[in-house]
Amino acid sequence: MTARDTDWDGVRLHVVTGKGGTGKTTVAAALALALAHGGRKVLLIEAEGRQGIARLFDRPPLPYEERKIAIGPGSGGGSGGGGDVFALAIDPEGALLDYLQMFYGMRSAGRALTRLGMVDFATTIAPGLSDVLVTGKATEATRRRATPSRTDKYVYDAVVMDAPPTGRIARFLNVSTEVSGLAKVGPIRSHADSVANVIRSPQTAVHFVSTLEEMPVQETLDGIAELNEVKGMQVGGIMINMARPAVLPREELKKEPDIAALASSLARAGLRSADSLAGALAAELDEHARHVELTDRRRAELTAAGQPMYELRLCTGGIDLAALHGLAAQLREQGAA
Amino acid sequence: MTPENPRLDVDRIIDDRRARIIVCCGSGGVGKTTTAAAIGLRAAERGRQVCVLTVDPARRLAQSMGLTSLDNTPRRVDGVSVEAGGSMHAMMLDMKRTFDEVVEAHADPARAAQILANPFYQALSSSFAGTQEYMAMEKLGQLRTSGEWDLIVVDTPPSRSALDFLDAPERLGRFLDGRLIKLLLTPAKATRPFTKVLNAGFSVVTGTLTKILGAQVLRDAQTFVTAFDTMFGGFRERAEATYRLLQAPGTSFLVVAAPEPDALREASYFVERLDEERMPLAGLVLNRVHRPTATRLSAARSLAAAETLEPMPNGSSAAESSQPPSQLPEPAPADVVAAAALRLHAARMNLGEREQRVAVTFTSAYPAVPILEVPALPEDVHDLAGLRRVGELLADEP
């Protein structure tokens, strides 16, 4: 495998967001696979415990622990080979215990707090606090080195985070502002600031997954505009998911289908009752033409955001590991990884 | 698709004057809001006095109902046929304002002002974690009590889990009743002798909290909790009243899903949960179903026919021909169109079959749940005519 430039070469933390139902988790997993080439080690993080990653890779529920979940493309193919994808499901409770252990060496006090409902407390009345713990875990993994030495290599070449949906992403990532409403000073504030420094650096990019439907496109544009307001935040690519390519050139689709000609072609192909079939197929073709026209408009709206765009074809057979690898290959071909 | 499952009869529900609340629930991105709005419009045009409560509508859908801002007040929808004597109002939920109003209703002005200014209250009332669900239910309770409408159609928030809106009031209640809160309240309350030992333990924990959060955060949290505690009784009563409302005979739940594994998994959880809570499930609306028009032609035969009409990509022809590829004539333009139409049809048949398989995982588990399939629409709904059309599809009118 030859080294080549991708669109996001300097990025080490890939945050993937998208409206619910657009396939955000699937695209995050495909991106992690796509990044895990040439022996690279990638961590795929699930930020909202739904165990979607475990389901995608057909594994039992993931614990709060980094585990190898898949092998990247090209393994066994001689030099370079594939890389490894590790996965981690972060929950606020585990992240709180981690935080206390890491900064105060207080795991047992953390357990006491958990029993008292600290996590409920944080997630219920101050979700900013639990967001800071979750994003904090992701930035820690991004910056982790094999040894504490600043010159040693990073443990993970890239981290991909399956983040909360578009509607909440700015709030989720804008941890510093969110926490500053609550804490003007103090340890949690300085932790939030250091997390924000990683998120608002060229090392981090926020990718948006969208389908070519009205609501997802609108939310994507709104989300991009919102993140562009935050100083230093890097908006990444727009991944158009579940795209259905046009079956004919656009100018051909614009024409009224000639039902008689269609019927004679169908008859030539050996199909019976070609006349009634031609009518039905023409109706399907017409619906497809309208769909293509509509999605072209939506695509143009997304293009106006000025971000690199990648298009992933709809997997009619459903999503399994083979389909994920197919999506990863599409991302690679288009330069996303 | 499934002869065993009864057909969901939307008209029978909306024509029944005893039906007072219809809750549309399901995971995000399945067309819940459109379904709610279409049911509301159809009910209004069949003579009901309807209010549609939406949480987060698509801009153009909101515009189709004349909603331009999030103003928390039901607005009359123009263009609705009044021949049957009905009317339609619609509103978008402003959760922060709804929360503020609840606080103002339950606390004296000074205390209300103190709560509204507290940073923890502000985080709570404007965050999306459960508050939206809670406030949607609160608003539903208010609309129902006002007695101005004889049918309220609610669209539930696009939660992480479809069940969040059932759990949110309970979660907030449990939280406010929780031990941590009791602990935070302790310094503000008179210390009784027998709590001394406990207090020693508490101070260790508050000490830890101070260390993590800082003293100011802890003080703010204590102030908030103390202020909130005094009005919490009122909150709990309201939440319980709303819960009872959802169990009442006039309420129907419609679970909305798309023929996708995730959406139907959520739908399954929902069906089971409603049963546990003794909440009345009316049925499942299976949205965005792709129905091929020419079902007689299978995917395999359609693809085979396409191949006979076009040269194979590698240059050989699928037609029985011994001619070298270079001598094959270019396919006639009509054949190119026909082949494309056949491939399109094959893909639709495959998609349709996959959707059927996914749907059967639901129907085989819940054979008694009434189901209605709504075909995928080629375009988005952006006016009342579009909503009316969805209403017809929901009533299974071709």
Side-chain angles (χ1 to χ4, degrees):
Chain A
M1 192 168 295
T2 52
R4 62 184 180 93
D5 286 348
T6 72
D7 294 347
W8 310 104
D9 271 352
V11 173
R12 304 193 55 256
L13 174 58
H14 298 263
V15 179
V16 180
T17 183
K19 182 175 157 47
T22 58
K24 172 174 70 71
T25 304
T26 307
V27 174
L31 181 61
L33 274 177
L35 289 164
H37 59 84
R40 287 160 50 103
K41 196 169 161 186
V42 178
L43 178 66
L44 174 60
I45 291 178
E46 179 157 51
E48 283 194 310
R50 301 183 61 179
Q51 293 295 344
I53 291 175
R55 264 201 301 275
L56 268 180
F57 288 93
D58 202 13
R59 301 274 172 133
L62 295 169
Y64 186 90
E65 189 185 290
E66 291 156 40
R67 284 207 174 159
K68 186 164 158 177
I69 198 164
I71 306 169
S75 52
S79 64
D84 290 327
V85 178
F86 283 71
L88 167 69
I90 305 185
D91 58 87
E93 185 176 321
L96 173 69
L97 295 179
D98 237 27
Y99 169 78
L100 291 175
Q101 174 65 33
M102 211 177 303
F103 290 88
Y104 304 99
M106 305 193 298
R107 191 163 279 271
S108 56
R111 291 225 174 80
L113 286 179
T114 308
R115 273 199 303 277
L116 278 168
M118 177 62 195
V119 174
D120 250 7
F121 173 82
T123 47
T124 310
I125 77 165
L129 293 184
S130 64
D131 286 350
V132 98
L133 296 171
V134 171
T135 47
K137 180 67 191 168
T139 54
E140 181 272 317
T142 307
R143 288 187 296 177
R144 195 187 308 153
R145 294 178 191 269
T147 64
S149 157
R150 296 211 67 150
T151 52
D152 206 352
K153 71 188 223 51
Y154 288 114
V155 171
Y156 292 107
D157 297 290
V159 174
V160 178
M161 174 156 62
D162 175 16
T166 321
R168 292 203 294 118
I169 192 66
R171 189 178 279 275
F172 176 74
L173 292 177
N174 207 1
V175 289
S176 193
T177 320
E178 187 67 9
V179 168
S180 71
L182 296 172
K184 308 281 180 245
V185 288
I188 196 85
R189 176 64 205 263
S190 58
H191 181 57
D193 286 341
S194 77
V195 171
N197 283 340
V198 177
I199 287 175
R200 298 177 196 168
S201 78
Q203 278 187 60
T204 303
V206 185
H207 306 294
F208 285 79
V209 180
S210 184
T211 55
L212 292 173
E213 291 168 294
E214 184 187 15
M215 276 286 266
V217 168
Q218 192 56 56
E219 283 200 11
T220 300
L221 295 174
D222 291 349
I224 290 174
E226 214 177 341
L227 288 193
N228 277 333
E229 296 280 296
V230 183
K231 199 166 173 285
M233 195 94 86
Q234 180 179 204
V235 176
I238 299 174
M239 279 93 169
I240 297 174
N241 196 22
M242 302 187 236
R244 280 186 281 167
V247 295
L248 280 171
R250 301 292 194 275
E251 60 272 22
E252 202 62 47
L253 282 174
K254 283 204 182 79
K255 291 179 197 158
E256 191 77 21
D258 180 343
I259 296 184
L262 188 57
S264 72
S265 291
L266 294 176
R268 246 199 320 286
L271 293 171
R272 268 174 298 180
S273 45
D275 285 334
S276 68
L277 202 54
L281 290 189
E284 288 182 9
L285 201 56
D286 180 57
E287 205 183 297
H288 175 70
R290 277 192 289 160
H291 177 78
V292 168
E293 204 190 317
L294 186 77
T295 51
D296 281 350
R297 276 209 300 277
R298 302 258 178 275
R299 194 180 286 104
E301 286 167 32
L302 287 175
T303 311
Q307 298 304 129
M309 300 214 294
Y310 312 97
E311 205 145 329
L312 300 170
R313 287 187 299 275
L314 175 72
C315 306
T316 37
I319 302 291
D320 54 15
L321 195 57
L324 277 182
H325 275 285
L327 294 174
Q330 293 176 47
L331 286 171
R332 292 268 292 149
E333 281 158 22
Q334 297 173 57
Chain B
M1 138 190 321
T2 45
E4 315 89 54
N5 284 67
R7 194 180 69 84
L8 171 65
D9 191 343
V10 170
D11 279 350
R12 215 187 64 203
I13 300 170
I14 59 185
D15 288 346
D16 183 349
R17 298 276 154 173
R18 286 168 302 180
R20 307 303 298 272
I21 293 173
I22 297 175
V23 185
C24 296
C25 45
S27 56
V30 296
K32 252 184 325 207
T33 311
T34 308
T35 304
I39 288 175
L41 176 62
R42 189 168 178 88
E45 297 193 331
R46 292 170 79 91
R48 304 292 304 260
Q49 314 300 322
V50 179
C51 184
V52 176
L53 168 59
T54 74
V55 176
D56 190 14
R59 224 162 272 177
R60 296 206 305 171
L61 179 63
Q63 282 162 5
S64 74
M65 293 188 286
L67 294 174
T68 46
S69 64
L70 191 87
D71 68 353
N72 227 21
T73 318
R75 301 276 172 204
R76 195 183 178 93
V77 181
D78 293 325
V80 176
S81 161
V82 292
E83 275 167 38
S87 70
M88 180 179 181
H89 285 70
M91 70 163 282
M92 275 193 266
L93 178 76
D94 178 341
M95 68 170 168
K96 173 127 180 45
R97 195 184 299 184
T98 305
F99 211 147
D100 290 355
E101 284 165 8
V102 176
V103 169
E104 281 158 358
H106 283 274
D108 58 78
R111 201 178 279 279
Q114 191 192 10
I115 294 174
L116 297 185
N118 186 283
F120 273 90
Y121 171 76
Q122 287 166 359
L124 171 66
S125 61
S126 55
S127 86
F128 287 90
T131 307
Q132 204 176 27
E133 288 79 0
Y134 188 16
M135 289 304 125
M137 291 302 105
E138 168 65 31
K139 198 75 204 174
L140 169 64
Q142 288 177 13
L143 291 174
R144 181 70 176 84
T145 319
S146 80
E148 280 182 62
W149 294 280
D150 73 357
L151 180 65
I152 300 164
V153 186
V154 201
D155 154 40
T156 54
S159 315
R160 265 204 289 168
S161 152
L163 308 175
D164 275 5
F165 83 90
L166 282 179
D167 291 328
E170 167 68 20
R171 210 170 63 217
L172 193 65
R174 204 175 52 226
F175 156 73
L176 288 168
D177 261 355
R179 284 201 284 171
L180 188 73
I181 297 303
K182 294 274 176 289
L183 180 155
L184 287 172
L185 284 171
T186 317
K189 285 180 175 168
T191 312
R192 289 184 214 128
F194 63 86
T195 59
K196 251 188 193 153
V197 182
L198 271 175
N199 277 337
F202 283 172
S203 65
V204 172
V205 178
T206 43
T208 312
L209 280 174
T210 311
K211 204 165 171 184
I212 306 164
L213 298 170
Q216 178 61 42
V217 179
L218 199 64
R219 261 197 309 281
D220 281 341
Q222 277 170 338
T223 318
F224 169 67
V225 165
T226 312
F228 221 68
D229 191 56
T230 55
M231 45 178 276
F232 178 59
F235 261 72
R236 169 142 281 191
E237 268 169 39
R238 289 173 92 100
E240 279 167 2
T242 308
Y243 212 73
R244 279 198 302 274
L245 194 61
L246 293 177
Q247 290 174 321
T251 302
S252 304
F253 283 82
L254 278 183
V255 179
V256 185
E260 292 293 332
D262 287 346
L264 278 169
R265 192 177 305 114
E266 284 288 317
S268 305
Y269 288 143
F270 217 104
V271 167
E272 283 171 19
R273 179 67 191 276
L274 288 174
D275 189 49
E276 277 168 27
E277 304 286 341
R278 298 194 316 279
M279 288 181 179
L281 169 70
L284 176 82
V285 174
L286 196 57
N287 252 333
R288 304 191 176 172
V289 175
H290 293 87
R291 281 184 195 152
T293 323
T295 44
R296 289 179 300 115
L297 182 59
S298 73
R301 279 183 61 203
S302 191
L303 270 186
E307 281 170 10
T308 61
L309 290 175
E310 63 193 5
M312 298 290 277
N314 63 8
S316 69
S317 169
E320 287 164 31
S321 163
S322 55
Q323 283 177 302
S326 57
Q327 287 175 21
L328 277 172
E330 279 288 300
D335 284 356
V336 174
V337 174
L342 287 163
R343 287 191 181 279
L344 180 70
H345 176 71
R348 285 181 67 141
M349 289 296 285
N350 283 333
L351 184 61
E353 267 165 38
R354 169 161 186 270
E355 290 178 351
Q356 297 265 345
R357 274 201 307 279
V358 173
V360 166
T361 60
F362 180 91
T363 54
S364 55
Y366 311 99
V369 173
I371 291 188
L372 183 74
E373 283 184 36
V374 179
L377 298 172
E379 281 165 54
D380 297 315
V381 173
H382 49 79
D383 54 15
L384 284 184
L387 280 182
R388 211 167 271 132
R389 177 78 194 115
V390 175
E392 285 161 10
L393 292 169
L394 282 166
D396 219 5
E397 284 174 10

